[in-house]
Amino acid sequence: MRRIPAVITTCAATLTFLAPAGLAAASPAAPAEQSYTVVPYENVNVRQLPTKDSAYLATLTAGRSYTAYCWTHGQTITDHGYTNDIWIGFADGFSSAVYFKGDQYANLPATAQC
């Protein structure tokens, strides 16, 4: 149902999915998909796959809004007293839900699984 994340090959592609929600142009594969707004409470890395050992792609800035598409299970992360294996899916990468405002899914619906 959801696409497999593509490897980012240009800076322009990185900037497209990292722009604040509402300002970024939609990626070519995203228009038909439901999107959600998420807000990290601290800076958080975006990884190619839902694991902290996966390739680093970018950093999301705390307090800014970003467009997410889904959530998935991945590596379990523990930080700030929270433990979670949920990762938020963006156009080309994933970030641990531990670092986002909201519930265990960063307020994405349970049905938004990747």
Side-chain angles (χ1 to χ4, degrees), residues 4-113:
I4 297 172
V7 176
I8 294 177
T9 57
T10 67
C11 291
T14 302
L15 294 175
T16 297
F17 86 89
L18 292 179
L23 296 180
S27 68
E33 290 183 313
Q34 176 69 43
S35 65
Y36 308 92
T37 299
V38 295
V39 179
Y41 68 84
E42 72 175 52
N43 291 350
V44 60
N45 292 331
V46 178
R47 302 286 182 172
Q48 185 177 10
L49 300 171
T51 172
K52 68 179 182 147
D53 299 320
S54 181
Y56 165 85
L57 300 176
T59 300
L60 303 180
T61 303
R64 295 185 80 179
S65 296
Y66 296 92
T67 300
Y69 295 98
C70 60
W71 63 267
T72 190
H73 293 281
Q75 181 180 18
T76 299
I77 302 295
T78 299
D79 204 356
H80 301 294
Y82 297 102
T83 299
N84 196 339
D85 74 341
I86 304 298
W87 287 69
I88 305 304
F90 298 96
D92 287 303
F94 297 89
S95 293
S96 172
V98 165
Y99 301 103
F100 289 87
K101 295 180 181 181
D103 62 13
Q104 68 180 356
Y105 303 105
N107 286 340
L108 272 66
T111 58
Q113 190 168 6

